[in-house]
Each structure stands twice: as structure tokens, then as C-alpha cells.
Amino acid sequence: QVQLVESGGGLVQPGGSLRLSCAASGSIVSINAMRWYRQAPGKERELVAGITTGGTTNYADSVKGRFTISRDNAKNTVYLQMNSLKPEDTAVYFCNGDIRMVYQVQRYWGQGTQVTVSS
């Protein structure tokens, strides 16, 4: 089986920074695209950023210029560097990855990590 585990969330003041990590483990041959989503209370889950195996990235307009997604393929890990955080960035952040196993490719999700931006 495969697990994705996020870490790095917490409470930060407006204007501060956090770095989220998401590590995949298990029966992994390789990982295709990896993504970060977030879900604020009462709102739908939204895509924050994505990155391909080759490093091509895309971002939601609301985080462009503030957030940076990156990955370490050797460690099966994706990161989200979040700078200039705003209260509206408060949400549970989830990662997912398109995991290539021996016989199939399947999308897995992490359990989420809380990010709270407040003074």
C-alpha cells in the first residue's frame, strides 16, 4: 500500500512563512504529478499548486508569487513553501500524488495538515 503524510502546518502571523512537506511511502515505482490542495471551513477543496515529474509547476492565482511548490524525486516528497501568508490562507492543506505501482497508477491523498494565519 501507499501512504502520503503531510507535516509542517501550524499557527503563523500574517506576513509569516511556513514550509509544508508531504512524503510518500510504500510500494512505489515512481510518482507522476504531485499537488497541494486546501480546504477552508465551509468552502470546497481547491487546488493550490501542482508539479510534474519534470518540475513544471502551476499555481492558483491567489497564491502566485507567494507560494512555491517543489519536489525531491529521490525522497518521494513534495514541498510547499508559503511566504507572505494572509488570514485567507487559513485552511487544511492536503497533498496528493499520482503513484505508479507495479501494475497500476493510482491517486493517493494525505490526511491533511492545518495552517492557521492569525495575529
Side-chain angles (χ1 to χ4, degrees):
Q1 270 297 350
V2 172
Q3 281 191 321
L4 273 65
V5 179
E6 299 102 335
S7 60
L11 173 64
V12 63
Q13 292 187 341
S17 298
L18 282 175
R19 189 192 194 208
L20 306 183
S21 299
C22 171
S25 62
S27 303
I28 298 169
V29 173
S30 63
I31 304 177
N32 296 339
M34 302 187 80
R35 308 165 191 88
W36 286 97
Y37 283 75
R38 67 185 180 187
Q39 187 166 20
K43 295 189 176 181
E44 293 188 352
R45 191 172 295 190
E46 63 173 354
L47 177 65
V48 176
I51 185 167
T52 67
T53 304
T56 300
T57 58
N58 64 283
Y59 297 92
D61 287 342
S62 58
V63 306
K64 281 181 182 176
R66 300 189 298 122
F67 290 10
T68 302
I69 187 171
S70 61
R71 63 189 289 171
D72 185 332
N73 292 331
K75 295 182 178 180
N76 290 331
T77 299
V78 63
Y79 306 96
L80 187 67
Q81 178 66 43
M82 305 186 294
N83 299 328
S84 302
L85 282 160
K86 304 175 180 179
E88 51 264 43
D89 294 318
T90 296
V92 178
Y93 283 71
F94 301 87
C95 67
N96 78 26
D98 297 334
I99 310 295
R100 180 175 296 280
M101 296 168 281
V102 175
Y103 296 114
Q104 62 180 343
V105 177
Q106 188 168 334
R107 183 167 297 172
Y108 285 87
W109 288 83
Q111 81 289 349
T113 185
Q114 176 71 48
V115 171
T116 302
V117 185
S118 175
S119 55

